[in-house]
């Protein structure tokens, strides 16, 4: 059974600081997603990482994927209050019995303080 | 990007009644749609995979008789919560997979439905 673990689960940081959220997963996959969720809202897609070594950047967020280490990171640069949200990683796996499916990490609740 | 429409966005119902939630792919055909449930401060849990023209595949622990899924067309899947009880109160999110747009097989998410059962 695929397990996806995020670290940390809660993160409080000051504006202007940098930090990294980690996403570890337990079995081989070469497709990983990062999502943002605001309170009461659905998921907003941030990044789709499709291969080993993939790196994508959008604004103050940068995501990377290391399929050999089964690790993805979401790096926050010079955080601003607007980045406060919950961030999920999700791993896409193909299973014979159920086809392709996403397994989500527990989520990282990020609060950026002035 | 691909658009998935989910309705209603919020529903309040009495205990014992049934509630239907619709999930539509607006600009693509989706042979496969997914239904997730999210309790407060928790992650998304896959409830079932909805396959067009065939029976849904339910995850372990999800009652198929309580959560009825119908995927009658390539653009519509419905989830009916039958005889709802307060413990069914949750945020339900659907997604649809686009097998044609590049990159392929990306899941696109609906806006979610908040169900409150009194």
């Amino acid at each position: 059974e695929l397990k996806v673990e995020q670290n940390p689960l809660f993160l409080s940081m000051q504006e202007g600081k940098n930090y990294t959220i980690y996403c570890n997963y337990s079995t081989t996959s070469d497709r990983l997603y990062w999502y943002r969720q605001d309170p009461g809202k659905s998921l907003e897609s941030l990044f789709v990482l499709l291969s080993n070594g993939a790196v994508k950047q959008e604004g103050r967020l940068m995501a990377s994927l290391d399929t050999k280490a089964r690790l993805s990171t979401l790096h926050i640069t010079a955080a601003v209050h607007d980045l406060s949200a919950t961030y999920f990683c999700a791993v896409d796996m193909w299973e014979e019995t159920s086809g392709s499916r996403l397994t989500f990490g527990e989520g990282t609740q990020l609060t950026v303080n002035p | 990007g691909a658009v998935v429409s989910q309705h209603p966005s919020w529903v309040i119902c009495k205990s014992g009644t049934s509630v239907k939630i619709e999930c539509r792919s607006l600009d693509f055909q989706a042979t496969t749609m997914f239904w997730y449930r999210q309790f407060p401060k928790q992650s998304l849990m896959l409830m079932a995979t909805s396959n067009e023209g065939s029976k849904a595949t339910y995850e372990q622990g999800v009652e198929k008789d309580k959560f009825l899924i119908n995927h009658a067309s390539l653009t519509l899947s419905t989830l009916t919560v039958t005889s709802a009880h307060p413990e069914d109160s949750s945020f339900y999110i659907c997604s649809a997979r686009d097998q044609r747009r590049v990159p392929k097989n990306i899941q696109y998410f609906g806006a979610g439905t908040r169900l409150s059962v009194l």
Side-chain angles (χ1 to χ4, degrees):
Chain A
E1 180 189 340
L2 172 62
K3 290 191 189 326
V4 181
E5 294 183 342
Q6 283 182 239
N7 181 47
L9 300 182
F10 296 93
L11 174 58
S12 180
M13 56 190 296
Q14 282 188 303
E15 280 190 328
K17 299 294 187 183
N18 306 330
Y19 206 84
T20 300
I21 300 170
Y22 298 89
C23 175
N24 289 91
Y25 53 99
S26 60
T27 60
T28 303
S29 174
D30 57 2
R31 183 177 278 220
L32 188 141
Y33 307 82
W34 283 96
Y35 297 95
R36 168 182 171 143
Q37 186 178 39
D38 291 295
K41 304 289 187 183
S42 186
L43 301 181
E44 174 190 350
S45 178
L46 295 175
F47 299 108
V48 180
L49 303 170
L50 299 176
S51 61
N52 184 41
V55 177
K56 290 196 174 180
Q57 182 164 4
E58 183 72 37
R60 301 175 188 274
L61 301 178
M62 183 172 71
S64 67
L65 177 62
D66 181 342
T67 58
K68 293 180 182 177
R70 298 176 188 168
L71 170 69
S72 180
T73 61
L74 180 66
H75 186 73
I76 303 156
T77 302
V80 293
H81 180 69
D82 284 352
L83 290 180
S84 297
T86 299
Y87 294 84
F88 290 97
C89 65
V91 176
D92 202 345
M93 279 283 298
W94 173 267
E95 296 179 357
E96 275 304 320
T97 51
S98 55
S100 175
R101 48 183 288 166
L102 289 182
T103 301
F104 284 83
E106 306 99 320
T108 297
Q109 186 176 319
L110 171 65
T111 303
V112 181
N113 303 304
Chain B
V3 180
V4 174
S5 172
Q6 188 174 341
H7 292 281
S9 57
W10 190 22
V11 57
I12 301 174
C13 69
K14 291 182 179 179
S15 187
T17 61
S18 295
V19 173
K20 181 186 282 189
I21 303 170
E22 291 189 349
C23 182
R24 293 180 186 271
S25 56
L26 295 186
D27 56 351
F28 65 99
Q29 294 182 330
T31 54
T32 306
M33 294 184 175
F34 303 86
W35 289 96
Y36 297 86
R37 180 167 54 185
Q38 185 181 33
F39 291 108
K41 303 293 186 184
Q42 293 188 23
S43 187
L44 279 74
M45 297 299 295
L46 180 65
M47 297 175 67
T49 301
S50 171
N51 304 298
E52 187 269 335
S54 66
K55 291 183 180 179
T57 304
Y58 289 82
E59 294 299 301
Q60 198 170 8
V62 177
E63 300 174 58
K64 58 182 68 176
D65 293 332
K66 180 167 186 62
F67 298 99
L68 300 180
I69 291 172
N70 185 281
H71 194 155
S73 78
L74 286 170
T75 58
L76 174 64
S77 175
T78 59
L79 169 68
T80 301
V81 183
T82 62
S83 187
H85 287 95
E87 57 265 29
D88 299 323
S89 299
S90 187
F91 194 45
Y92 292 86
I93 306 175
C94 74
S95 72
R97 189 165 64 200
D98 189 346
Q99 293 172 294
R100 293 192 176 183
R101 198 183 306 252
V102 176
K104 289 185 179 181
N105 294 325
I106 300 291
Q107 287 188 33
Y108 296 92
F109 287 83
T113 297
R114 185 158 306 281
L115 171 63
S116 296
V117 184
L118 303 179

